[in-house]
């Protein structure tokens, strides 16, 4: 793991997670084609595609459906907000990207609190 949070690195932010999820499809292609499995973020933290895929799975399996679906549609798949809203069966004026933001905030809290095994170091401390 690229230690997305440790004494040497800033905490994981919603903005970084948003950018990583927005690039996940391209990263998957780069990984399959060229074997690129780590990327540095602007905050200097190196991320592994496997860590991001883990967070994506956590999001899809544990967040409320509106939040996980918004992360998938708005960020990972890149649909415009109104298109995602329509696919989610809500009004096209519904700000569904806020659902994605709330989901990302929850993921950050899970990481910071050490509740995600992949992001723990020893004895329950967050990585």
């Amino acid at each position: 793991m690229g230690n997305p949070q440790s004494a040497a690195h800033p905490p994981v932010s919603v903005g970084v997670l948003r950018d990583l999820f927005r690039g996940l499809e391209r990263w998957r292609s780069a990984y399959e084609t060229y074997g690129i499995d780590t990327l540095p973020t602007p905050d200097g933290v190196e991320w592994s595609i496997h860590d991001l895929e883990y967070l994506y799975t956590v999001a899809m399996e544990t967040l409320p459906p509106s939040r996980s679906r918004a992360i998938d549609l708005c960020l990972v798949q890149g649909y415009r907000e109104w298109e995602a809203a329509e696919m989610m069966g809500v009004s096209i004026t519904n700000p569904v990207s806020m659902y994605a933001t709330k989901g990302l905030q929850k993921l950050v809290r899970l990481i910071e609190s050490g509740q995600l095994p992949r992001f723990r170091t020893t004895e329950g401390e967050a990585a």
Side-chain angles (χ1 to χ4, degrees):
M1 184 174 103
N3 289 329
Q5 182 179 358
S6 71
H9 299 290
V12 177
S13 71
V14 168
V16 167
L17 286 183
R18 180 180 291 114
D19 289 344
L20 287 169
F21 278 124
R22 280 185 176 148
L24 183 57
E25 290 292 332
R26 288 185 305 276
W27 195 0
R28 285 171 174 160
S29 293
Y31 177 64
E32 289 177 20
T33 305
Y34 306 107
I36 298 170
D37 64 351
T38 57
L39 288 177
T41 58
D43 60 4
V45 178
E46 190 172 83
W47 275 81
S48 163
I49 191 170
H50 308 292
D51 292 336
L52 190 58
E53 291 285 9
Y54 170 77
L55 284 178
Y56 178 77
T57 299
V58 168
M60 296 304 110
E61 293 177 356
T62 65
L63 295 178
S66 60
R67 293 178 183 182
S68 61
R69 192 106 195 270
I71 288 171
D72 184 53
L73 294 173
C74 294
L75 302 181
V76 176
Q77 294 189 49
Y79 285 103
R80 291 178 287 188
E81 191 170 36
W82 71 266
E83 294 171 312
E86 189 172 59
M87 290 177 195
M88 293 170 67
V90 298
S91 168
I92 62 170
T93 59
N94 191 316
V96 296
S97 64
M98 287 303 300
Y99 301 156
T101 298
K102 294 289 186 187
L104 296 176
Q105 289 169 344
K106 176 65 175 180
L107 289 176
V108 168
R109 285 193 305 275
L110 291 170
I111 292 168
E112 289 175 346
S113 66
Q115 294 182 49
L116 300 179
R118 189 174 190 110
F119 288 86
R120 286 189 207 140
T121 54
T122 58
E123 300 181 29
E125 295 176 1

